[in-house]
Structures are given as C-alpha cells and as structure tokens.
Coordinates of all heavy atoms in Angstrom, one line a residue:
M434 N 84.0 115.0 74.3 CA 85.0 115.5 73.5 C 84.6 115.4 72.0 O 84.1 114.3 71.6 CB 86.3 114.7 73.7 CG 87.3 115.1 72.8 SD 88.9 114.1 72.8 CE 89.2 114.0 74.4
I435 N 84.7 116.5 71.2 CA 84.4 116.5 69.8 C 85.6 115.9 69.0 O 86.7 116.4 69.3 CB 84.1 117.9 69.3 CG1 82.8 118.5 70.2 CG2 83.9 117.9 67.9 CD1 82.5 119.9 69.8
M436 N 85.4 115.0 68.2 CA 86.4 114.4 67.4 C 86.2 114.9 66.0 O 85.1 115.2 65.4 CB 86.3 112.9 67.5 CG 86.4 112.3 68.8 SD 88.0 112.6 69.6 CE 88.8 111.2 68.8
A437 N 87.4 114.9 65.2 CA 87.3 115.4 63.8 C 87.9 114.2 63.0 O 88.8 113.4 63.5 CB 88.1 116.6 63.6
N438 N 87.5 114.0 61.8 CA 88.0 113.1 60.9 C 89.0 113.8 59.9 O 88.6 114.9 59.4 CB 86.9 112.3 60.1 CG 86.0 111.5 61.0 OD1 86.6 110.9 61.9 ND2 84.8 111.5 60.8
Y439 N 90.0 113.1 59.5 CA 90.9 113.5 58.5 C 91.4 112.4 57.7 O 92.0 111.4 58.4 CB 92.1 114.3 59.2 CG 93.1 114.9 58.1 CD1 92.8 116.1 57.6 CD2 94.3 114.2 57.9 CE1 93.7 116.6 56.6 CE2 95.1 114.8 57.0 CZ 94.9 116.0 56.4 OH 95.8 116.5 55.4
A440 N 91.2 112.3 56.4 CA 91.8 111.3 55.6 C 93.3 111.6 55.4 O 93.7 112.6 55.0 CB 91.1 111.3 54.2
L441 N 94.1 110.5 55.7 CA 95.6 110.8 55.8 C 96.2 109.7 54.6 O 95.9 108.5 54.7 CB 96.1 110.3 57.1 CG 97.6 110.4 57.5 CD1 98.0 112.0 57.2 CD2 97.8 110.0 58.8
R442 N 97.0 110.3 53.8 CA 97.6 109.5 52.8 C 99.1 109.3 53.4 O 99.8 110.2 53.7 CB 97.7 110.2 51.5 CG 96.3 110.4 50.9 CD 96.2 111.2 49.7 NE 97.2 110.7 48.6 CZ 96.8 109.8 47.6 NH1 95.6 109.5 47.4 NH2 97.8 109.4 46.7
V443 N 99.4 108.0 53.5 CA 100.7 107.6 54.1 C 101.3 106.7 53.1 O 100.7 105.7 52.6 CB 100.4 106.8 55.4 CG1 101.8 106.5 56.1 CG2 99.6 107.8 56.4
P444 N 102.7 106.8 52.9 CA 103.4 105.9 52.1 C 103.2 104.5 52.6 O 103.3 104.3 53.8 CB 104.8 106.3 52.1 CG 104.7 107.9 52.4 CD 103.5 108.0 53.3
E445 N 103.1 103.6 51.7 CA 102.9 102.1 52.1 C 103.9 101.6 53.0 O 103.6 100.9 54.2 CB 102.7 101.2 50.9 CG 102.3 99.7 51.2 CD 101.1 99.6 52.0 OE1 100.1 100.3 51.7 OE2 101.0 98.8 53.0
S446 N 105.2 102.0 52.8 CA 106.3 101.5 53.7 C 106.2 101.9 55.1 O 106.3 101.2 56.1 CB 107.6 101.8 53.2 OG 107.7 103.2 52.9
L447 N 105.8 103.3 55.2 CA 105.7 103.9 56.5 C 104.4 103.3 57.3 O 104.5 103.1 58.4 CB 105.5 105.3 56.4 CG 105.3 106.2 57.7 CD1 106.6 106.0 58.6 CD2 105.2 107.6 57.4
F448 N 103.3 103.2 56.4 CA 102.0 102.5 57.1 C 102.4 101.1 57.6 O 102.0 100.8 58.7 CB 101.0 102.6 56.0 CG 99.8 102.2 56.6 CD1 98.9 103.2 57.2 CD2 99.3 100.9 56.5 CE1 97.7 102.8 57.7 CE2 98.0 100.6 56.9 CZ 97.2 101.5 57.5
A449 N 103.2 100.4 56.8 CA 103.4 99.0 57.2 C 104.3 99.0 58.5 O 104.1 98.2 59.5 CB 104.2 98.2 56.2
Y450 N 105.2 99.9 58.6 CA 106.0 100.0 59.9 C 105.2 100.5 61.0 O 105.3 99.9 62.1 CB 107.2 100.9 59.6 CG 108.1 100.9 60.8 CD1 108.9 99.9 61.3 CD2 108.1 102.2 61.7 CE1 109.7 99.9 62.3 CE2 109.0 102.2 62.8 CZ 109.7 101.0 63.1 OH 110.5 101.1 64.2
A451 N 104.4 101.4 60.8 CA 103.5 102.0 61.8 C 102.6 100.9 62.3 O 102.3 100.8 63.6 CB 102.6 103.2 61.3
R452 N 102.0 100.0 61.4 CA 101.2 98.9 61.8 C 102.0 97.9 62.7 O 101.4 97.5 63.7 CB 100.6 98.2 60.5 CG 99.8 96.9 60.9 CD 99.3 96.2 59.7 NE 98.3 97.2 59.0 CZ 98.1 97.2 57.8 NH1 98.8 96.3 56.9 NH2 97.3 98.0 57.2
E453 N 103.2 97.6 62.4 CA 104.1 96.8 63.2 C 104.3 97.3 64.6 O 104.1 96.5 65.6 CB 105.4 96.6 62.6 CG 105.5 95.7 61.3 CD 106.9 95.7 60.7 OE1 107.8 96.0 61.4 OE2 106.9 95.4 59.4
V454 N 104.5 98.6 64.6 CA 104.8 99.2 66.0 C 103.5 99.2 66.7 O 103.4 98.9 67.9 CB 105.3 100.7 65.8 CG1 105.3 101.4 67.2 CG2 106.6 100.6 65.1
A455 N 102.4 99.6 66.1 CA 101.1 99.5 66.8 C 100.7 98.2 67.3 O 100.2 98.0 68.5 CB 100.0 100.0 65.9
E456 N 100.9 97.2 66.6 CA 100.7 95.9 66.9 C 101.6 95.5 68.1 O 101.0 94.8 69.1 CB 100.8 94.8 65.8 CG 99.7 95.0 64.8 CD 100.0 94.0 63.6 OE1 100.9 93.3 63.6 OE2 99.1 94.1 62.7
S457 N 102.9 95.8 68.1 CA 103.8 95.4 69.2 C 103.4 96.2 70.4 O 103.7 95.7 71.5 CB 105.2 95.7 68.7 OG 105.5 97.2 68.7
E458 N 102.9 97.4 70.4 CA 102.4 98.1 71.5 C 101.0 97.7 71.9 O 100.5 98.4 72.9 CB 102.5 99.7 71.2 CG 103.9 100.2 70.8 CD 104.8 100.1 72.2 OE1 104.3 100.4 73.3 OE2 106.0 99.7 71.9
H459 N 100.3 96.9 71.2 CA 98.9 96.4 71.5 C 97.9 97.6 71.6 O 97.2 97.8 72.4 CB 98.9 95.8 72.9 CG 99.9 94.6 72.9 ND1 99.7 93.4 72.1 CD2 101.0 94.4 73.6 CE1 100.7 92.6 72.4 NE2 101.5 93.2 73.2
V460 N 98.1 98.6 70.5 CA 97.1 99.6 70.3 C 96.7 99.6 68.9 O 97.2 99.0 68.0 CB 97.8 101.0 70.6 CG1 98.3 101.0 72.1 CG2 99.1 101.3 69.7
S461 N 95.6 100.4 68.8 CA 94.9 100.4 67.4 C 95.8 101.3 66.6 O 96.6 102.3 67.1 CB 93.5 101.0 67.4 OG 93.5 102.3 68.0
M462 N 95.7 101.2 65.3 CA 96.3 102.2 64.4 C 95.9 103.7 64.7 O 96.6 104.6 64.7 CB 96.1 101.9 62.9 CG 96.7 100.6 62.4 SD 98.4 100.9 62.4 CE 98.7 101.8 61.0
N463 N 94.5 103.8 64.9 CA 94.0 105.2 65.3 C 94.8 105.7 66.6 O 95.3 106.8 66.6 CB 92.6 105.1 65.5 CG 92.0 106.5 65.7 OD1 91.8 107.2 64.8 ND2 91.6 106.7 67.0
Q464 N 94.9 104.9 67.6 CA 95.5 105.3 68.8 C 97.0 105.6 68.6 O 97.5 106.6 69.1 CB 95.4 104.3 69.8 CG 96.0 104.8 71.2 CD 95.7 103.7 72.3 OE1 95.0 102.8 72.2 NE2 96.2 104.0 73.5
F465 N 97.7 104.8 67.7 CA 99.0 105.1 67.4 C 99.2 106.5 66.7 O 100.1 107.2 67.1 CB 99.6 103.9 66.5 CG 101.0 104.2 66.1 CD1 102.0 103.9 67.0 CD2 101.3 104.6 64.8 CE1 103.4 104.1 66.7 CE2 102.6 104.8 64.5 CZ 103.7 104.5 65.3
F466 N 98.4 106.7 65.7 CA 98.4 107.9 65.0 C 98.2 109.2 65.8 O 98.9 110.2 65.8 CB 97.6 108.0 63.7 CG 98.3 107.1 62.5 CD1 97.4 106.1 62.1 CD2 99.5 107.4 62.0 CE1 98.0 105.4 60.9 CE2 100.1 106.6 61.1 CZ 99.3 105.6 60.5
V467 N 97.2 109.0 66.6 CA 96.8 110.1 67.5 C 97.9 110.4 68.5 O 98.2 111.6 68.8 CB 95.4 109.9 68.2 CG1 95.1 110.8 69.4 CG2 94.3 109.9 67.2
T468 N 98.5 109.4 69.1 CA 99.5 109.6 70.0 C 100.7 110.2 69.4 O 101.3 111.0 70.0 CB 99.9 108.2 70.7 OG1 98.7 107.7 71.3 CG2 101.0 108.3 71.7
A469 N 101.1 109.7 68.2 CA 102.2 110.3 67.4 C 102.0 111.8 67.2 O 102.9 112.6 67.3 CB 102.3 109.6 66.2
I470 N 100.8 112.2 66.8 CA 100.5 113.6 66.5 C 100.7 114.4 67.8 O 101.1 115.5 67.9 CB 99.1 113.8 65.9 CG1 99.2 113.1 64.4 CG2 98.7 115.2 65.9 CD1 97.7 112.9 63.8
A471 N 100.1 113.8 68.9 CA 100.2 114.5 70.2 C 101.6 114.6 70.7 O 101.9 115.8 71.2 CB 99.3 113.7 71.3
E472 N 102.4 113.7 70.4 CA 103.8 113.8 70.8 C 104.5 115.0 70.0 O 105.3 115.7 70.6 CB 104.5 112.5 70.7 CG 104.2 111.4 71.7 CD 104.8 110.1 71.4 OE1 105.6 110.0 70.5 OE2 104.5 109.2 72.2
K473 N 104.2 115.0 68.8 CA 104.9 116.0 67.9 C 104.4 117.4 68.3 O 105.2 118.3 68.4 CB 104.6 115.8 66.4 CG 105.2 116.8 65.5 CD 106.7 116.7 65.6 CE 107.3 117.6 64.5 NZ 108.8 117.6 64.5
V474 N 103.0 117.6 68.6 CA 102.5 118.9 68.9 C 103.1 119.2 70.3 O 103.6 120.4 70.4 CB 101.0 118.8 69.0 CG1 100.4 120.0 69.9 CG2 100.4 118.7 67.7
S475 N 103.3 118.3 71.2 CA 103.9 118.6 72.5 C 105.3 119.1 72.4 O 105.8 120.0 73.1 CB 103.8 117.3 73.4 OG 104.5 117.6 74.6
A476 N 106.0 118.4 71.5 CA 107.5 118.8 71.3 C 107.6 120.2 70.7 O 108.5 121.0 71.1 CB 108.1 117.8 70.3
L477 N 106.8 120.5 69.8 CA 106.7 121.8 69.2 C 106.3 122.9 70.2 O 106.9 124.0 70.2 CB 105.8 121.9 67.8 CG 106.3 121.1 66.7 CD1 105.2 121.0 65.7 CD2 107.6 121.6 66.3
R478 N 105.4 122.6 71.0 CA 104.9 123.6 72.1 C 106.0 123.8 73.0 O 106.3 124.9 73.5 CB 103.7 123.2 72.6 CG 102.4 123.2 71.7 CD 101.2 122.8 72.4 NE 100.5 124.0 73.0 CZ 99.5 124.0 73.5 NH1 99.0 122.8 73.9 NH2 99.0 125.2 74.1
T479 N 106.8 122.8 73.4 CA 107.8 122.8 74.4 C 108.9 123.7 73.7 O 109.6 124.6 74.5 CB 108.3 121.4 74.8 OG1 107.4 120.7 75.4 CG2 109.6 121.5 75.7
E480 N 109.3 123.5 72.5 CA 110.3 124.2 71.8 C 109.9 125.8 71.8 O 110.8 126.7 72.2 CB 110.5 123.8 70.4 CG 111.6 124.6 69.6 CD 111.7 124.1 68.2 OE1 110.8 123.4 67.7 OE2 112.7 124.5 67.6
T481 N 108.7 126.0 71.5 CA 108.2 127.4 71.5 C 108.3 128.1 72.9 O 108.7 129.1 73.2 CB 106.7 127.4 71.1 OG1 106.6 127.0 69.7 CG2 106.1 128.9 71.1
Y482 N 107.9 127.3 73.9 CA 108.0 127.8 75.3 C 109.4 128.1 75.8 O 109.6 129.2 76.2 CB 107.5 126.7 76.3 CG 107.7 127.0 77.7 CD1 106.9 127.8 78.5 CD2 108.8 126.3 78.4 CE1 107.1 128.1 79.8 CE2 109.0 126.6 79.7 CZ 108.2 127.5 80.4 OH 108.4 127.8 81.8
F483 N 110.3 127.2 75.5 CA 111.7 127.6 75.8 C 112.3 128.8 75.0 O 113.0 129.5 75.5 CB 112.7 126.3 75.7 CG 112.5 125.4 76.8 CD1 111.9 124.2 76.7 CD2 112.8 125.8 78.1 CE1 111.8 123.3 77.8 CE2 112.7 125.0 79.2 CZ 112.1 123.8 79.1
K484 N 111.9 128.9 73.7 CA 112.3 130.1 73.0 C 111.8 131.4 73.6 O 112.5 132.3 73.6 CB 111.9 129.9 71.5 CG 112.8 129.0 70.7 CD 112.3 128.9 69.3 CE 113.1 127.9 68.5 NZ 112.8 127.7 67.0
E485 N 110.5 131.3 74.0 CA 110.0 132.4 74.7 C 110.6 132.8 76.0 O 110.9 133.9 76.3 CB 108.4 132.3 74.8 CG 107.6 132.3 73.6 CD 106.2 131.8 73.7 OE1 105.8 131.4 74.9 OE2 105.4 131.9 72.7
R486 N 110.9 131.8 76.7 CA 111.6 131.9 78.0 C 113.1 132.5 77.7 O 113.5 133.4 78.4 CB 111.8 130.6 78.8 CG 110.6 130.1 79.4 CD 110.2 130.9 80.6 NE 111.3 131.1 81.6 CZ 111.3 130.6 82.8 NH1 110.3 129.8 83.2 NH2 112.3 130.8 83.6
Q487 N 113.7 132.1 76.7 CA 115.0 132.5 76.3 C 114.9 134.0 76.0 O 115.8 134.8 76.4 CB 115.6 131.7 75.2 CG 117.0 132.3 74.8 CD 117.5 131.6 73.5 OE1 116.7 131.0 72.8 NE2 118.8 131.4 73.3
A488 N 113.9 134.4 75.3 CA 113.8 135.8 74.9 C 113.6 136.7 76.1 O 114.0 137.9 76.0 CB 112.6 136.0 73.9
R489 N 113.1 136.2 77.1 CA 112.8 137.0 78.4 C 114.0 137.0 79.2 O 114.0 137.7 80.3 CB 111.6 136.5 79.2 CG 110.3 136.7 78.4 CD 109.2 136.4 79.4 NE 109.2 135.4 80.2 CZ 108.6 134.2 80.2 NH1 107.9 133.9 79.1 NH2 108.8 133.2 81.1
G490 N 115.1 136.2 79.0 CA 116.2 136.0 79.8 C 117.1 137.4 79.9 O 117.0 138.1 79.0
D491 N 117.7 137.5 81.0 CA 118.6 138.6 81.2 C 119.9 138.2 81.5 O 120.2 137.7 82.8 CB 117.9 139.4 82.3 CG 118.9 140.7 82.8 OD1 119.7 140.9 82.1 OD2 118.5 141.3 83.9
L492 N 120.9 138.2 80.7 CA 122.2 137.7 80.9 C 122.9 138.5 82.0 O 123.7 137.9 82.8 CB 123.0 137.7 79.6 CG 122.6 136.6 78.6 CD1 123.5 136.8 77.4 CD2 122.8 135.2 79.3
T493 N 122.6 139.8 82.2 CA 123.2 140.6 83.1 C 122.8 140.1 84.5 O 123.6 140.0 85.4 CB 122.9 142.1 82.8 OG1 123.4 142.4 81.5 CG2 123.5 142.9 83.9
G494 N 121.6 140.0 84.6 CA 121.0 139.4 85.8 C 121.5 138.0 86.2 O 121.9 137.7 87.3
F495 N 121.7 137.2 85.2 CA 122.2 135.9 85.5 C 123.7 135.9 85.8 O 124.1 135.2 86.8 CB 122.2 135.0 84.1 CG 122.8 133.7 84.3 CD1 122.2 132.6 85.0 CD2 124.0 133.4 83.6 CE1 122.9 131.4 85.2 CE2 124.6 132.2 83.7 CZ 124.0 131.1 84.5
D496 N 124.4 136.8 85.2 CA 125.8 137.0 85.7 C 125.9 137.5 87.1 O 126.8 137.1 87.8 CB 126.5 138.0 84.7 CG 126.8 137.4 83.2 OD1 126.8 136.1 83.2 OD2 127.0 138.2 82.4
A497 N 125.0 138.4 87.5 CA 125.0 138.8 88.8 C 124.7 137.7 89.8 O 125.3 137.6 90.9 CB 124.0 140.0 88.9
W498 N 123.7 137.0 89.4 CA 123.4 135.8 90.3 C 124.5 134.9 90.4 O 124.8 134.3 91.6 CB 122.1 135.1 89.8 CG 121.6 133.9 90.4 CD1 121.0 133.7 91.5 CD2 122.0 132.5 89.9 NE1 120.8 132.4 91.9 CE2 121.5 131.7 90.9 CE3 122.8 132.0 88.9 CZ2 121.6 130.3 90.9 CZ3 123.0 130.7 88.8 CH2 122.5 129.8 89.8
L499 N 125.2 134.6 89.3 CA 126.2 133.6 89.4 C 127.4 134.1 90.2 O 128.0 133.4 90.9 CB 126.7 133.3 87.9 CG 127.6 132.1 87.6 CD1 126.9 130.8 88.1 CD2 127.9 132.0 86.1
A500 N 127.7 135.5 90.0 CA 128.8 136.0 90.8 C 128.5 136.0 92.3 O 129.4 135.8 93.1 CB 129.0 137.5 90.3
A501 N 127.2 136.1 92.7 CA 126.9 136.0 94.1 C 126.8 134.6 94.7 O 126.7 134.5 95.9 CB 125.5 136.7 94.3
S502 N 126.9 133.6 93.8 CA 126.9 132.2 94.2 C 128.2 132.0 95.0 O 129.2 132.4 94.5 CB 126.7 131.3 93.1 OG 125.5 131.5 92.5
P503 N 128.2 131.0 96.1 CA 129.4 130.8 96.8 C 130.3 130.0 95.9 O 129.8 129.2 95.2 CB 128.9 130.1 98.0 CG 127.5 129.7 97.7 CD 127.0 130.6 96.6
D504 N 131.6 130.1 96.1 CA 132.6 129.4 95.3 C 133.0 128.2 96.2 O 134.1 128.3 96.9 CB 133.8 130.4 95.0 CG 134.7 129.7 94.0 OD1 134.4 128.7 93.3 OD2 135.9 130.1 93.9
V505 N 132.2 127.2 96.2 CA 132.5 126.0 96.9 C 132.5 124.8 96.1 O 131.9 124.8 95.0 CB 131.5 125.8 98.1 CG1 131.6 127.0 99.2 CG2 130.1 125.8 97.6
P506 N 133.1 123.7 96.5 CA 133.1 122.6 95.6 C 131.7 121.9 95.7 O 130.9 122.1 96.6 CB 134.1 121.6 96.3 CG 134.4 122.1 97.6 CD 134.0 123.7 97.6
P507 N 131.3 121.2 94.7 CA 130.0 120.6 94.6 C 129.9 119.6 95.7 O 130.8 119.0 96.2 CB 129.8 120.0 93.2 CG 131.3 119.7 92.8 CD 132.1 120.8 93.6
E508 N 128.6 119.3 96.1 CA 128.3 118.3 97.0 C 128.8 116.9 96.3 O 128.7 116.7 95.1 CB 126.8 118.1 97.3 CG 126.3 119.4 97.9 CD 126.5 119.4 99.4 OE1 126.7 118.5 100.0 OE2 126.8 120.6 99.9
P509 N 129.1 115.9 97.0 CA 129.6 114.7 96.6 C 128.6 114.0 95.5 O 129.1 113.6 94.5 CB 129.8 113.7 97.7 CG 129.9 114.7 98.8 CD 129.2 115.9 98.5
H510 N 127.3 114.2 95.7 CA 126.4 113.6 94.8 C 126.2 114.3 93.5 O 125.6 113.9 92.5 CB 125.0 113.3 95.4 CG 124.4 114.5 95.9 ND1 124.7 115.1 97.2 CD2 123.4 115.3 95.3 CE1 124.0 116.2 97.4 NE2 123.2 116.3 96.3
D511 N 126.7 115.6 93.5 CA 126.6 116.4 92.3 C 128.0 116.5 91.5 O 128.0 117.1 90.4 CB 126.3 117.9 92.7 CG 124.8 118.0 93.1 OD1 124.0 117.2 92.6 OD2 124.4 118.9 93.8
A512 N 128.9 115.9 92.1 CA 130.3 116.1 91.4 C 130.4 115.2 90.2 O 129.7 114.2 90.1 CB 131.3 115.5 92.4
L513 N 131.1 115.7 89.1 CA 131.3 114.9 87.9 C 132.1 113.7 88.1 O 133.1 113.9 89.0 CB 132.0 115.8 86.9 CG 131.0 117.0 86.4 CD1 131.9 117.7 85.4 CD2 129.8 116.5 85.7
K514 N 131.9 112.6 87.6 CA 132.6 111.4 87.8 C 133.6 111.1 86.7 O 133.4 111.5 85.6 CB 131.6 110.2 88.0 CG 130.7 110.4 89.1 CD 129.8 109.2 89.4 CE 128.9 109.6 90.5 NZ 128.1 108.6 90.9

C-alpha cells in the first residue's frame, strides 16, 4: 500500500483531546487520525449512496407495492410496544 504524508495543523485543545482518546483506546495518534478520516469518508460516501438511491426511487411503484401488501396486523415480534 502506498502511503502519503500530510502536515496537519490542529488546534492545541483538539490535539490534546485527540491524544487522550488515542491513549484510552491504546492506539497511536497516527492510527487515531487515519481512523477518524476513514470514518468521515465512509459517512460521506454513505450519504451520497442514499441520495443516489433516493433519486432513482419511484413513488408510484412504491405506492403500488404498498397497496398490494396484505392488510394484516404485524407479527408479535414486530409490533410496537
């Protein structure tokens, strides 16, 4: 795997908190920052995926599917409590 370097300027207060969290998780600061970036990228990609899925959605088709669904009470394990 090819790695890149990037000098990151972080406010001291945020850096101190990140250090505390990394220490409590028993990971290096590098691993903490890489994981945080990966989580953010994943969240953004997931948001994009669902927006694309929504754009392909067909409300008319959904309404037809819903109308064809049987009108029965939910299974006991699916009922609201």
Side-chain angles (χ1 to χ4, degrees):
M434 175 186 311
I435 297 173
M436 302 292 278
N438 290 320
Y439 182 80
L441 183 64
R442 295 175 55 96
V443 181
E445 184 59 41
S446 59
L447 180 58
F448 189 81
Y450 183 69
R452 179 179 293 149
E453 288 176 20
V454 174
E456 287 175 1
S457 72
E458 295 292 320
H459 306 290
V460 297
S461 68
M462 289 292 289
N463 186 70
Q464 184 175 354
F465 177 78
F466 284 125
V467 169
T468 301
I470 293 167
E472 288 176 3
K473 181 63 176 185
V474 168
S475 177
L477 292 171
R478 292 182 92 181
T479 300
E480 179 183 16
T481 299
Y482 170 78
F483 281 115
K484 284 181 179 178
E485 290 170 355
R486 285 290 305 248
Q487 179 185 22
R489 294 193 320 255
D491 176 14
L492 288 178
T493 305
F495 175 72
D496 288 340
W498 172 82
L499 196 57
S502 298
D504 188 18
V505 295
E508 298 288 327
H510 62 275
D511 284 336
L513 296 175
K514 296 179 183 186

